[in-house]
Amino acid sequence: MRRIPSSGKHRRRRVVALWLAVRLLTCAAATATVAGPLHGDSESAPINDVEAAYLFNFAKFVRWPNSVAGSPLIICIAGTDSFRQAVAGLVNGEKIGGREVQVNRVVSNEAIADCSILFVEVTERTRLASFLDAAKGKPVLTVSDAPDFLVRGGIIQFVLESDHVRFAINLDAADRNNLSLSSQLLKVAIHVTGIPGKGDTR
Amino acid sequence: MRTRPVSISSKLTWMNLMVSGIVLVLAVLAFFFYDLISFRQNLIRNLETSAQIVGANSVSAMLFNDPESATATLDALRTSPDILGAVLATSKGSRFAEYRRQNSPDLLATLPAVSGMRDEVMPRGTRVLLAHPVVFQGKFSGTVYIAAELTEAPQRARHYLTIAVLIILICMLAALLISSNSRRMIALPVIALSETARRVSREKDYSVRAQAPRDNDEIAVLVDAFNEMLSQIQERDAALRLARDTLEKRVEERTEDLRTANRELEAFSYTVAHDLRGPLDSVQGMVFLLQTAGEQTSGTERAETLARLGDVTRSMALLIDDLLQLSRAGTAALQRVPVDLSMIARRIAEELQRSQPERKVEFMIANTLPVEADEGLMRIALDNLLRNAWKYTSHRQNACIEFGFRRIHGELVYFVRDDGAGFDPALRDRLFQPFHRLHNRAEFPGTGIGLATVQRILARHGGRIWAESKIDKGATFYFTLSAGHAAS
């Protein structure tokens, strides 16, 4: 499958890119602003719940290499218990792509290789570098709401845009981990970096 | 008088036009309705496909709450002119994104709830509303509503009408061409035929013939029958004319015959009167002589006169007998029986020799086969012929009379030959006329009726008689009887 970034919304993309750059320059100081309740037009759920739902939905638009086919889809959470419970509440015995879904807490860096999705909450960003190292080259979709996540080698980063939860994607990072992301997912991302399809020779 | 000669071909033209017109109208209607139905089905299928694409492309937008992306997807429907508008609703039923064509009626004001996982088609007059549930990864994720108009239907109807009218015009043209052809093939031969028929009835000329058309169709058969009828009429005419001519000729012949017969009869009665008048004058003279000179004449003179008187009256009686015989030969009923002519001839010969035993006459009578004839008449005929021969050989010392027969050209010819006085062959045509005598009455006495009687008898039997002779070299009388009654 060839991955193509969405071609629409160019103007908004540029604005967002500018905004991202500003955010990346002031990364350390900006972390506190993430907290607090948020309101969407259609959903008035707290940001945690939205992010949990998105995390769960990401699985539906990602293709893992064939080597992991049939094994359970394990969502590893490095962060607060409340978030993990929010994700676990969504699973509800559902299967994604025929795979059973489990939600685990990250106990060690070694266990990360077994994860299908690794979510690192911004509260855990001191361990972020070691987590990314552990996940590098493994078929692990790394997701975080840490503001400099994509720069540091993560694949999907949650972004708040006028109180809406959005996300940005680093395709090169996804390639490194042997994952292919659906164009549907790229279409709704506010920002996509990297060259689509690079190294996707499976 | 002249009927419209194009009526058949124009009828054919109208028939062609009617048939092709009806077929065409029916075909156009059938195609139109079929197309209307299939067009509707195609439109709905296209709508379903569009809804499916929109739904599949909007799943991520709905899952990640991105109405702008969904709106962009819906905007793609702008390329389809039939689509009035579309709404993407979330799985909970609330509007997520919307697309509306300008100035389009709002069919999407209220969104009907969709039950199940199948597309629902809801007709709204000339418009249609389609609801397509979006299913992603086995989960109901939202609904795509598309409102569309069947705007192209009336437009297509107009196209159909135009095409139908065009085809009907072409068909009319074709029918006209065909009918002109049919005029050549059907009407013209019929016109030619009726023209001939009119000419025949007007000019009474039955020798004309209608021209047969080249193809071997019913008209050709009709023309043939007509011509045959003409030739039959012609033949009948000819036969009638022939019959009339023959009849006229026969009437003329009969008239001539009657005239001749009448003339003959007149001559005959004149001759009879004349021939009877002669002896009667003698009788009167002698009676006067006996009365006036009765006393002066001697008894011997009176006896002589009386004897002469007896001779004259006998000859008169003989003449009257011969006349009676002639008349009977012409009128008596013919009774055909087998007759032995040789035997009759022998009897007559004996009779003749008995009557004049002093004469030396040799009779040579051949044996003939019996013939079918009237015995009495044949006796009279042979008697006349042999007595004739006997009479005209009376000057000879030794005479010879022969009766025999000969076959000439398959016909049996009898003859009576003598070596007597004979006659001038130039006069032989008059031999068989009554009262015509070729010899002096004093030399060879006779009434002149005998041979006429013979001829009449043979004619009654269907035969004929002729004679050959030279003066003093004898005479031969040949006769035949009708071929059918000749000896077998």
PDB file of all heavy atoms in Angstrom, chain B residues 234-250:
ATOM      1  N   GLN B 234     -61.187 -15.923 -79.461  1.00  0.00           N
ATOM      2  CA  GLN B 234     -60.807 -15.837 -80.866  1.00  0.00           C
ATOM      3  C   GLN B 234     -61.130 -17.142 -81.585  1.00  0.00           C
ATOM      4  O   GLN B 234     -61.699 -17.133 -82.678  1.00  0.00           O
ATOM      5  CB  GLN B 234     -59.307 -15.560 -80.939  1.00  0.00           C
ATOM      6  CG  GLN B 234     -58.969 -14.487 -81.926  1.00  0.00           C
ATOM      7  CD  GLN B 234     -57.478 -14.241 -81.948  1.00  0.00           C
ATOM      8  OE1 GLN B 234     -56.755 -14.700 -81.066  1.00  0.00           O
ATOM      9  NE2 GLN B 234     -57.035 -13.529 -82.938  1.00  0.00           N
ATOM     10  N   GLU B 235     -60.766 -18.247 -80.946  1.00  0.00           N
ATOM     11  CA  GLU B 235     -61.033 -19.552 -81.561  1.00  0.00           C
ATOM     12  C   GLU B 235     -62.531 -19.743 -81.773  1.00  0.00           C
ATOM     13  O   GLU B 235     -62.982 -20.198 -82.837  1.00  0.00           O
ATOM     14  CB  GLU B 235     -60.507 -20.675 -80.663  1.00  0.00           C
ATOM     15  CG  GLU B 235     -59.021 -20.941 -80.859  1.00  0.00           C
ATOM     16  CD  GLU B 235     -58.490 -21.885 -79.796  1.00  0.00           C
ATOM     17  OE1 GLU B 235     -59.295 -22.670 -79.256  1.00  0.00           O
ATOM     18  OE2 GLU B 235     -57.286 -21.822 -79.517  1.00  0.00           O
ATOM     19  N   ARG B 236     -63.293 -19.391 -80.728  1.00  0.00           N
ATOM     20  CA  ARG B 236     -64.744 -19.572 -80.831  1.00  0.00           C
ATOM     21  C   ARG B 236     -65.314 -18.714 -81.964  1.00  0.00           C
ATOM     22  O   ARG B 236     -66.164 -19.161 -82.724  1.00  0.00           O
ATOM     23  CB  ARG B 236     -65.396 -19.185 -79.501  1.00  0.00           C
ATOM     24  CG  ARG B 236     -66.793 -19.711 -79.389  1.00  0.00           C
ATOM     25  CD  ARG B 236     -67.280 -19.695 -77.974  1.00  0.00           C
ATOM     26  NE  ARG B 236     -66.398 -20.455 -77.113  1.00  0.00           N
ATOM     27  CZ  ARG B 236     -66.434 -20.401 -75.781  1.00  0.00           C
ATOM     28  NH1 ARG B 236     -67.307 -19.610 -75.193  1.00  0.00           N
ATOM     29  NH2 ARG B 236     -65.617 -21.113 -75.058  1.00  0.00           N
ATOM     30  N   ASP B 237     -64.773 -17.489 -82.064  1.00  0.00           N
ATOM     31  CA  ASP B 237     -65.209 -16.599 -83.146  1.00  0.00           C
ATOM     32  C   ASP B 237     -64.957 -17.243 -84.495  1.00  0.00           C
ATOM     33  O   ASP B 237     -65.819 -17.255 -85.379  1.00  0.00           O
ATOM     34  CB  ASP B 237     -64.424 -15.286 -83.067  1.00  0.00           C
ATOM     35  CG  ASP B 237     -65.180 -14.257 -82.259  1.00  0.00           C
ATOM     36  OD1 ASP B 237     -66.178 -14.658 -81.628  1.00  0.00           O
ATOM     37  OD2 ASP B 237     -64.777 -13.075 -82.268  1.00  0.00           O
ATOM     38  N   ALA B 238     -63.722 -17.777 -84.624  1.00  0.00           N
ATOM     39  CA  ALA B 238     -63.351 -18.383 -85.903  1.00  0.00           C
ATOM     40  C   ALA B 238     -64.284 -19.554 -86.208  1.00  0.00           C
ATOM     41  O   ALA B 238     -64.764 -19.698 -87.344  1.00  0.00           O
ATOM     42  CB  ALA B 238     -61.900 -18.856 -85.836  1.00  0.00           C
ATOM     43  N   ALA B 239     -64.555 -20.367 -85.177  1.00  0.00           N
ATOM     44  CA  ALA B 239     -65.418 -21.531 -85.370  1.00  0.00           C
ATOM     45  C   ALA B 239     -66.814 -21.082 -85.800  1.00  0.00           C
ATOM     46  O   ALA B 239     -67.414 -21.650 -86.729  1.00  0.00           O
ATOM     47  CB  ALA B 239     -65.493 -22.346 -84.085  1.00  0.00           C
ATOM     48  N   LEU B 240     -67.290 -20.032 -85.143  1.00  0.00           N
ATOM     49  CA  LEU B 240     -68.624 -19.515 -85.477  1.00  0.00           C
ATOM     50  C   LEU B 240     -68.674 -19.028 -86.912  1.00  0.00           C
ATOM     51  O   LEU B 240     -69.611 -19.319 -87.651  1.00  0.00           O
ATOM     52  CB  LEU B 240     -68.982 -18.357 -84.537  1.00  0.00           C
ATOM     53  CG  LEU B 240     -69.595 -18.740 -83.197  1.00  0.00           C
ATOM     54  CD1 LEU B 240     -69.782 -17.493 -82.360  1.00  0.00           C
ATOM     55  CD2 LEU B 240     -70.936 -19.416 -83.425  1.00  0.00           C
ATOM     56  N   ARG B 241     -67.599 -18.277 -87.289  1.00  0.00           N
ATOM     57  CA  ARG B 241     -67.566 -17.736 -88.637  1.00  0.00           C
ATOM     58  C   ARG B 241     -67.552 -18.866 -89.658  1.00  0.00           C
ATOM     59  O   ARG B 241     -68.270 -18.847 -90.656  1.00  0.00           O
ATOM     60  CB  ARG B 241     -66.324 -16.842 -88.809  1.00  0.00           C
ATOM     61  CG  ARG B 241     -66.491 -15.804 -89.908  1.00  0.00           C
ATOM     62  CD  ARG B 241     -65.304 -14.859 -89.960  1.00  0.00           C
ATOM     63  NE  ARG B 241     -65.124 -14.103 -88.724  1.00  0.00           N
ATOM     64  CZ  ARG B 241     -64.026 -14.132 -87.980  1.00  0.00           C
ATOM     65  NH1 ARG B 241     -63.009 -14.891 -88.331  1.00  0.00           N
ATOM     66  NH2 ARG B 241     -63.941 -13.412 -86.893  1.00  0.00           N
ATOM     67  N   LEU B 242     -66.727 -19.888 -89.360  1.00  0.00           N
ATOM     68  CA  LEU B 242     -66.620 -21.034 -90.254  1.00  0.00           C
ATOM     69  C   LEU B 242     -67.989 -21.699 -90.400  1.00  0.00           C
ATOM     70  O   LEU B 242     -68.447 -21.999 -91.516  1.00  0.00           O
ATOM     71  CB  LEU B 242     -65.600 -22.024 -89.685  1.00  0.00           C
ATOM     72  CG  LEU B 242     -65.187 -23.142 -90.629  1.00  0.00           C
ATOM     73  CD1 LEU B 242     -64.317 -22.604 -91.747  1.00  0.00           C
ATOM     74  CD2 LEU B 242     -64.429 -24.234 -89.866  1.00  0.00           C
ATOM     75  N   ALA B 243     -68.658 -21.901 -89.243  1.00  0.00           N
ATOM     76  CA  ALA B 243     -69.963 -22.572 -89.257  1.00  0.00           C
ATOM     77  C   ALA B 243     -70.949 -21.775 -90.104  1.00  0.00           C
ATOM     78  O   ALA B 243     -71.682 -22.326 -90.928  1.00  0.00           O
ATOM     79  CB  ALA B 243     -70.480 -22.720 -87.834  1.00  0.00           C
ATOM     80  N   ARG B 244     -70.909 -20.457 -89.911  1.00  0.00           N
ATOM     81  CA  ARG B 244     -71.836 -19.608 -90.649  1.00  0.00           C
ATOM     82  C   ARG B 244     -71.564 -19.694 -92.154  1.00  0.00           C
ATOM     83  O   ARG B 244     -72.464 -19.873 -92.970  1.00  0.00           O
ATOM     84  CB  ARG B 244     -71.666 -18.166 -90.173  1.00  0.00           C
ATOM     85  CG  ARG B 244     -72.825 -17.268 -90.539  1.00  0.00           C
ATOM     86  CD  ARG B 244     -72.499 -15.832 -90.195  1.00  0.00           C
ATOM     87  NE  ARG B 244     -71.282 -15.395 -90.873  1.00  0.00           N
ATOM     88  CZ  ARG B 244     -70.489 -14.420 -90.448  1.00  0.00           C
ATOM     89  NH1 ARG B 244     -70.765 -13.791 -89.330  1.00  0.00           N
ATOM     90  NH2 ARG B 244     -69.415 -14.080 -91.118  1.00  0.00           N
ATOM     91  N   ASP B 245     -70.212 -19.607 -92.490  1.00  0.00           N
ATOM     92  CA  ASP B 245     -69.850 -19.665 -93.908  1.00  0.00           C
ATOM     93  C   ASP B 245     -70.290 -20.986 -94.527  1.00  0.00           C
ATOM     94  O   ASP B 245     -70.850 -21.026 -95.620  1.00  0.00           O
ATOM     95  CB  ASP B 245     -68.336 -19.487 -94.065  1.00  0.00           C
ATOM     96  CG  ASP B 245     -67.918 -18.065 -93.751  1.00  0.00           C
ATOM     97  OD1 ASP B 245     -68.833 -17.228 -93.556  1.00  0.00           O
ATOM     98  OD2 ASP B 245     -66.699 -17.792 -93.701  1.00  0.00           O
ATOM     99  N   THR B 246     -70.000 -22.081 -93.807  1.00  0.00           N
ATOM    100  CA  THR B 246     -70.364 -23.405 -94.312  1.00  0.00           C
ATOM    101  C   THR B 246     -71.863 -23.477 -94.539  1.00  0.00           C
ATOM    102  O   THR B 246     -72.337 -23.983 -95.557  1.00  0.00           O
ATOM    103  CB  THR B 246     -69.943 -24.487 -93.302  1.00  0.00           C
ATOM    104  OG1 THR B 246     -68.728 -24.099 -92.696  1.00  0.00           O
ATOM    105  CG2 THR B 246     -69.776 -25.823 -93.980  1.00  0.00           C
ATOM    106  N   LEU B 247     -72.558 -22.953 -93.529  1.00  0.00           N
ATOM    107  CA  LEU B 247     -74.024 -23.015 -93.598  1.00  0.00           C
ATOM    108  C   LEU B 247     -74.523 -22.254 -94.826  1.00  0.00           C
ATOM    109  O   LEU B 247     -75.348 -22.758 -95.590  1.00  0.00           O
ATOM    110  CB  LEU B 247     -74.611 -22.400 -92.332  1.00  0.00           C
ATOM    111  CG  LEU B 247     -76.040 -22.817 -92.008  1.00  0.00           C
ATOM    112  CD1 LEU B 247     -76.083 -24.299 -91.702  1.00  0.00           C
ATOM    113  CD2 LEU B 247     -76.561 -22.011 -90.831  1.00  0.00           C
ATOM    114  N   GLU B 248     -73.930 -21.072 -95.023  1.00  0.00           N
ATOM    115  CA  GLU B 248     -74.355 -20.267 -96.164  1.00  0.00           C
ATOM    116  C   GLU B 248     -74.083 -20.998 -97.473  1.00  0.00           C
ATOM    117  O   GLU B 248     -74.929 -21.053 -98.373  1.00  0.00           O
ATOM    118  CB  GLU B 248     -73.625 -18.928 -96.158  1.00  0.00           C
ATOM    119  CG  GLU B 248     -74.351 -17.878 -95.332  1.00  0.00           C
ATOM    120  CD  GLU B 248     -73.589 -16.565 -95.310  1.00  0.00           C
ATOM    121  OE1 GLU B 248     -72.605 -16.433 -96.068  1.00  0.00           O
ATOM    122  OE2 GLU B 248     -73.981 -15.683 -94.522  1.00  0.00           O
ATOM    123  N   LYS B 249     -72.813 -21.584 -97.469  1.00  0.00           N
ATOM    124  CA  LYS B 249     -72.449 -22.292 -98.699  1.00  0.00           C
ATOM    125  C   LYS B 249     -73.420 -23.448 -98.942  1.00  0.00           C
ATOM    126  O   LYS B 249     -73.870 -23.681-100.072  1.00  0.00           O
ATOM    127  CB  LYS B 249     -71.014 -22.816 -98.560  1.00  0.00           C
ATOM    128  CG  LYS B 249     -70.267 -22.827 -99.876  1.00  0.00           C
ATOM    129  CD  LYS B 249     -68.772 -22.927 -99.669  1.00  0.00           C
ATOM    130  CE  LYS B 249     -68.282 -24.343 -99.812  1.00  0.00           C
ATOM    131  NZ  LYS B 249     -66.868 -24.490 -99.449  1.00  0.00           N
ATOM    132  N   ARG B 250     -73.740 -24.155 -97.846  1.00  0.00           N
ATOM    133  CA  ARG B 250     -74.618 -25.307 -97.979  1.00  0.00           C
ATOM    134  C   ARG B 250     -76.005 -24.869 -98.461  1.00  0.00           C
ATOM    135  O   ARG B 250     -76.611 -25.505 -99.329  1.00  0.00           O
ATOM    136  CB  ARG B 250     -74.730 -26.027 -96.632  1.00  0.00           C
ATOM    137  CG  ARG B 250     -75.198 -27.467 -96.800  1.00  0.00           C
ATOM    138  CD  ARG B 250     -75.050 -28.233 -95.496  1.00  0.00           C
ATOM    139  NE  ARG B 250     -73.664 -28.337 -95.076  1.00  0.00           N
ATOM    140  CZ  ARG B 250     -73.290 -28.587 -93.812  1.00  0.00           C
ATOM    141  NH1 ARG B 250     -74.201 -28.722 -92.869  1.00  0.00           N
ATOM    142  NH2 ARG B 250     -72.024 -28.695 -93.506  1.00  0.00           N
TER     143      ARG B 250
END
